[in-house]
Amino acid sequence: QLHLQESGPGLVKPSETLSLTCTVSGGSISSSTYYWGWVRQPPGKGLEWIGSIYYSGNTYYNPSLKSRVTISVDTSNNQFSLNLSSVTAAETAVFYCARHSGLGRGFDYWGQGTLVTVSS
Amino acid sequence: QSVLTQPPSVSAAPRQKVTISCSGSTSNIENNYVSWYQQLPGTAPKLLIYDNNKRPSGIPSRFSGSKSGTSATLGITGLQTGDEADYYCATWDNSLSAVVFGGGTKLTIL
């Protein structure tokens, strides 16, 4: 059974860079069938796609965040990571990592989510 | 506001059926697959429907999906108290080159 687990600081200061890692177990991140993505959800609000990466390293970002987002993959450790720079307090959210079989296809496996608070 | 439009809330009694709509455009729903998610309070979203109308293994047949033109619909029959949750639609938008989610619909079981 595939399992995804987010990890990283729960508190980030405004203007700094938010960094999270998603560790995948029970399957290989190098599978050519899947994309690996990040989705965030501010408290009490809806879901927003941040971006996704293919095992080859090809990346796809939400245009509204593209200038501040970097997603990378570490196949040797079966992990992928998110960096979001210049964060503001309004970007406090639960961040989820998830797998999908295509850019327009369903996210079938999700991590439990991790709350990142942006505050000084 | 979201590119995909969902009603903020719907409600129905146990054992009844409900539909949740997701309205988009030619740049998203009409030409791409739609997926649906259930999010129980305090938990991660769960995939209910993918590729417009397919159910992942383990999802009951009470949940169904359909698509027509620029709109998609999630149907739930035989409502149970455990179905009370937020529901989201999602698809790819060709103009934005982005995955887009609907704003979410809160289902209340009366």
Side-chain angles (χ1 to χ4, degrees):
Chain A
Q1 179 79 343
L2 196 74
H3 183 71
L4 286 75
Q5 179 70 57
E6 305 89 352
S7 59
L11 180 64
V12 179
K13 290 181 167 52
S15 80
E16 295 191 344
T17 296
L18 178 159
S19 297
L20 295 173
T21 296
C22 182
T23 300
V24 179
S25 57
S28 174
I29 203 169
S30 300
S31 168
S32 60
T33 310
Y34 299 108
Y35 294 72
W36 306 89
W38 290 95
V39 175
R40 68 180 179 179
Q41 184 173 36
K45 297 189 177 180
L47 303 169
E48 180 183 33
W49 174 71
I50 299 170
S52 297
I53 190 165
Y54 195 48
Y55 81 102
S56 61
N58 288 356
T59 52
Y60 308 85
Y61 298 137
N62 187 323
S64 68
L65 300 170
K66 188 171 184 176
S67 63
R68 299 189 292 124
V69 173
T70 303
I71 296 176
S72 58
V73 65
D74 179 356
T75 54
S76 61
N77 287 307
N78 229 32
Q79 297 175 328
F80 63 105
S81 298
L82 167 70
N83 280 345
L84 179 64
S85 64
S86 304
V87 295
T88 68
E91 295 184 284
T92 292
V94 175
F95 287 75
Y96 297 100
C97 59
R99 185 187 83 168
H100 52 136
S101 58
L103 291 175
R105 313 293 289 277
F107 291 90
D108 57 355
Y109 284 92
W110 295 69
Q112 66 183 25
T114 186
L115 174 63
V116 180
T117 301
V118 181
S119 175
S120 54
Chain B
Q1 57 273 27
S2 304
V3 171
L4 305 180
T5 301
Q6 297 181 232
S9 63
V10 296
S11 61
R15 297 179 298 282
Q16 297 303 304
K17 81 174 199 179
V18 71
T19 60
I20 297 173
S21 61
C22 177
S23 177
S25 69
T26 56
S27 69
N28 43 63
I29 288 179
E30 185 166 56
N31 291 292
N32 292 292
Y33 288 120
V34 176
S35 53
W36 288 91
Y37 303 86
Q38 176 193 62
Q39 188 176 34
L40 298 170
T43 69
K46 176 182 179 181
L47 180 64
L48 290 179
I49 299 290
Y50 68 99
D51 292 359
N52 303 330
N53 55 18
K54 296 182 173 64
R55 283 177 287 106
S57 173
I59 300 300
S61 59
R62 303 189 296 110
F63 295 91
S64 63
S66 63
K67 189 180 88 167
S68 178
T70 59
S71 292
T73 302
L74 173 70
I76 312 173
T77 60
L79 284 169
Q80 303 172 0
T81 55
D83 296 331
E84 194 161 274
D86 293 323
Y87 293 83
Y88 295 90
C89 58
T91 187
W92 178 258
D93 190 290
N94 296 330
S95 296
L96 297 173
S97 293
V99 175
V100 290
F101 284 93
T105 298
K106 181 173 182 59
L107 169 61
T108 300
I109 308 300
L110 300 171

